[in-house]
Amino acid sequence: MTDSEIDDIKYRLGKLEDIEAITVLIQEAIQEMEKHDIFQWDELYPTAEDFEADIKKENLYVAEENEKIIALYVISSESDEAYNNAEWKYPRETSLVLHRFCVSPGFQNKGIGKKVLMKIESQIKSMGYDSVRLDVFTKNPYSQKLYRNNGYEVRGFAEWRKGHFDLMEKKL
């Protein structure tokens, strides 16, 4: 994949008609993670219902190449109560939270994750916010590397059903 091909990514709000493609992408991602002993997602989370709710709130976005969804993400002001465990550096009012960021396994290890993350950051900034928060599974070295290499700093942690998650933040 060349840089010009990567530049053909189109971004848009997710639609209810995307649910089937999204759930297939998520199932493929779960299978890929499990090949690497990463047991972060499963049949309980995230579900089609989670994505339907995100779409109805108009905070789920998809990245497409040739009209095929290659990545998805949610940006919202909502966060789990466990986010209170962090010592955030920037005010909540100036931050949005990145949830359920996923790149299709067929497009991983090609710089797509970084490219989409840069788009997400630009999008959040253009919405009038100047920092982004997220949580990342400590046993997912690929996500850890992506965020740490792109300026995200650990501010705390959360314990959920699947284990320990770093709560991270970045000034935009």
Side-chain angles (χ1 to χ4, degrees):
M1 182 170 294
T2 67
D3 284 344
S4 63
E5 288 176 304
I6 293 173
D7 289 336
D8 290 340
I9 297 174
K10 306 278 188 266
Y11 299 88
R12 64 170 173 81
L13 269 172
K15 301 179 281 194
L16 288 174
E17 307 87 83
D18 297 325
I19 291 294
E20 185 176 340
I22 288 169
T23 54
V24 167
L25 186 153
I26 294 299
Q27 288 306 312
E28 291 171 351
I30 290 170
Q31 290 171 2
E32 184 65 23
M33 286 191 285
E34 289 178 352
K35 285 181 193 172
H36 300 280
D37 295 323
I38 301 167
F39 300 97
Q40 176 177 344
W41 289 348
D42 57 23
E43 70 282 352
L44 300 177
Y45 179 86
T47 64
E49 291 77 20
D50 293 319
F51 295 114
E52 285 175 23
D54 294 329
I55 289 168
K56 288 176 182 173
K57 292 176 192 170
E58 297 187 342
N59 58 19
L60 181 143
Y61 298 86
V62 298
E64 293 180 316
E65 184 180 76
N66 298 322
E67 299 182 27
K68 176 181 171 45
I69 296 174
I70 63 168
L72 63 98
Y73 57 94
V74 172
I75 47 177
S76 75
S77 59
E78 297 174 19
S79 61
D80 188 275
E81 193 175 299
Y83 271 57
N84 295 332
N85 294 341
E87 292 184 26
W88 301 110
K89 190 171 180 181
Y90 308 105
R92 180 183 181 118
E93 302 76 39
T94 66
S95 297
L96 283 181
V97 183
L98 173 59
H99 300 281
R100 295 185 274 290
F101 178 29
C102 184
V103 175
S104 171
F107 291 84
Q108 292 175 1
N109 302 311
K110 298 177 180 179
I112 300 289
K114 180 176 180 169
K115 182 170 182 63
V116 176
L117 183 60
M118 291 172 61
K119 166 63 176 172
I120 293 166
E121 292 171 358
S122 171
Q123 182 177 350
I124 289 171
K125 187 116 174 116
S126 73
M127 295 167 75
Y129 296 86
D130 60 13
S131 63
V132 60
R133 298 175 177 180
L134 54 84
D135 58 81
V136 59
F137 192 42
T138 56
K139 294 181 180 173
N140 186 333
Y142 308 104
S143 294
Q144 286 280 341
K145 183 178 177 185
L146 174 67
Y147 296 123
R148 290 173 189 272
N149 286 351
N150 285 285
Y152 287 77
E153 297 178 357
V154 176
R155 302 286 188 223
F157 68 92
E159 291 291 336
W160 284 306
R161 179 175 62 89
K162 289 296 193 157
H164 194 82
F165 289 73
D166 286 331
L167 299 174
M168 301 181 90
E169 179 179 50
K170 180 180 179 180
K171 175 83 169 156
L172 300 176

